[in-house]
Amino acid sequence: MNKPIVAITGSSGKTTTKEMIASILQTRWRTFKSVENGNDTWFTSQYKRQITSYHKAVVLEYGMKEKGDIKRHCELIQPTFGVITNVGRAHIGHFKDGLRGIASAKSELIAGMNRKGMLFLNKDDPHSKRLNLKSFQGKRITVGVQNKADFNARNIRYSSKGMNFTVCLNKIKHRFHIPCFGKCNVYNALFAIAVSHHLGCSVAEIKRGFRKMEKPYGRLSVFKNHRKITVINDSFNTKPELDSALEVLRHVGSTGGRKIAILGDIQDLGKHAKRIHLAQGRKLGKKKLDLLYTFGNHSRYLSIGAQQEGMSSKQVKHFTQIYALKRVLAMQRKTGDTFLLKGSTNGHPVKLMDVADWLIR
């Protein structure tokens, strides 16, 4: 394929980064992109048949649940641009050697892409240091907020409709806005800016692409209703780390209103499930939540961890039935409340997505 092929992998942020990059490139080229979150190897095999000479650029997600997945993606469609958003604990239950195994599996993108292409990495992500870069002969580009990188975001601010920040391009500071909330999405935007800038897109095209991007559903989506109830729907995202979602909860809620988290199970943790849920629960206990509701199986350890860090038994409640959760929410919700919904239920996020939609009515 004689055209730019951008492949994105990482433990989180893949779909949003893909949508951002594709939206920007679409301002100048006919661009093929992965469908929604269709990112397993079967989808890539279908995309290989669907990409034609009509498309002048390609942007794909390369998902991974186990070793060899990304290698297979690259065998089907070899990228010229590779993006690794981060290395985290998502799907850690599939890897005997934990984060080292996950980093090794993500490194399959580096080994499988065009070795003289461009690789984009997160300078602030500590676990990205575990990636195997030895075989790569191309150009490495870094993005960051905290550490000095090739593309840095500065002056990050929340607005009523998303995030504002500045990036220096060709020694000139430019102000950008993205219609998404959270510092995690600023990192995703930095990858989009870096890739599109190296492909020759202008600042105006980048800004227009951000304005027109399709926002993935259930990934830190923020809604408000006539009763001034705010719902942060992060129910599709089941990564173990809760920091990004809790940051958004802290910033977008109504002043003086209650902050309530509704959290389901974190999936694919295997033998690490109890330990990770407890650790994340202890973090929750320090975040000054007004109420914490958990739903599922392992999520009860979120409740236990939160109480270990000071939340009272009156503030925390665990549910195993969705109707019981809804009944309590119907009695509890008040004008000015902000709800965060995150996590899976029995391996699928639909139930919490339904709760999110029900709360906002």
Side-chain angles (χ1 to χ4, degrees), residues 84 119-124 128 133 139-145 147-153 167 187 190-191 194-195 198:
I84 302 178
L119 177 64
F120 297 80
L121 301 172
N122 185 336
K123 194 72 175 287
D124 294 344
S128 287
L133 300 165
K139 187 172 183 179
R140 282 185 240 168
I141 309 295
T142 57
V143 307
V145 172
N147 297 302
K148 184 173 174 56
D150 298 304
F151 291 80
N152 279 110
V167 178
Y187 283 101
L190 279 172
F191 281 118
V195 170
H198 277 285

Side-chain angles (χ1 to χ4, degrees), residues 123-187:
K123 194 72 175 287
D124 294 344
D125 178 46
H127 301 305
S128 287
K129 295 174 183 177
R130 299 171 182 259
L131 294 167
N132 186 351
L133 300 165
K134 292 178 182 177
S135 64
F136 187 66
Q137 301 169 12
K139 187 172 183 179
R140 282 185 240 168
I141 309 295
T142 57
V143 307
V145 172
Q146 300 167 347
N147 297 302
K148 184 173 174 56
D150 298 304
F151 291 80
N152 279 110
R154 301 289 187 228
N155 306 311
I156 299 170
R157 298 285 185 273
Y158 276 76
S159 75
S160 60
K161 295 184 178 179
M163 307 297 292
N164 296 324
F165 56 95
T166 58
V167 178
C168 191
L169 299 176
N170 299 326
K171 298 183 179 180
I172 300 173
K173 288 183 180 179
H174 297 278
R175 190 82 175 160
F176 292 95
H177 172 82
I178 54 173
C180 320
F181 291 94
K183 191 181 288 185
C184 59
N185 281 315
V186 174
Y187 283 101

Side-chain angles (χ1 to χ4, degrees), residues 275-292:
R275 175 178 59 82
I276 289 176
H277 280 86
L278 277 172
Q280 293 300 315
R282 293 186 192 107
K283 277 189 180 181
L284 289 165
K286 298 175 182 177
K287 296 297 182 179
K288 298 181 180 179
L289 295 171
D290 293 286
L291 295 168
L292 170 62

